[in-house]
Amino acid sequence: MLLFPTKALAQDQLVNLQAWLQQHDLSNEIRAATLDGDTPHSQRLLICETCNIILTNPDTLHAAILPQWNKVYQELLPSLRYVVLDEAHMYQGVF
């Protein structure tokens, strides 16, 4: 899971990551997607089940993923191997 301070930054980085994966012929092995407020609810579980890399932001983590961990995301959180914080100096308070 890659955490970015804003969903716009996460979405921008997803475009760059997907281009890099395609350039290196890795897009079949490594699947990446954003999980944020713009992600349709109908696609969220599929993203959690099929993606190796999930890009999100602290607000989505705090307001959507953690409160729903035992209903929707019970497979996602225990299977995390790495959590990467981009711009870690930006996080304060609850985040």
Side-chain angles (χ1 to χ4, degrees):
M1 179 176 284
L2 305 176
L3 281 170
F4 295 90
T6 65
K7 68 180 178 181
L9 184 55
Q11 291 170 355
D12 182 58
Q13 291 303 308
L14 176 64
V15 171
N16 294 331
L17 177 59
Q18 287 175 329
W20 187 88
L21 291 171
Q22 206 164 31
Q23 179 183 358
H24 292 87
D25 199 27
L26 295 170
S27 56
N28 290 331
E29 296 174 45
I30 301 174
R31 293 162 310 282
T34 56
L35 181 61
D36 58 32
D38 293 341
T39 307
H41 288 273
S42 61
Q43 294 179 6
R44 293 179 182 202
L45 185 57
L46 181 63
I47 288 171
C48 292
E49 291 174 344
T50 60
C51 290
N52 311 84
I53 300 174
I54 295 176
L55 296 83
T56 192
N57 59 72
D59 188 47
T60 299
L61 181 65
H62 180 72
I65 297 173
L66 293 178
Q68 297 290 325
W69 75 269
N70 61 344
K71 297 175 187 165
V72 179
Y73 303 106
Q74 69 262 17
E75 300 293 326
L76 171 66
L77 296 179
S79 67
L80 286 177
R81 291 182 64 192
Y82 302 100
V83 176
V84 178
L85 297 174
D86 183 50
E87 302 285 336
H89 66 282
M90 300 290 293
Y91 304 103
Q92 350 177 5
V94 172
F95 302 125

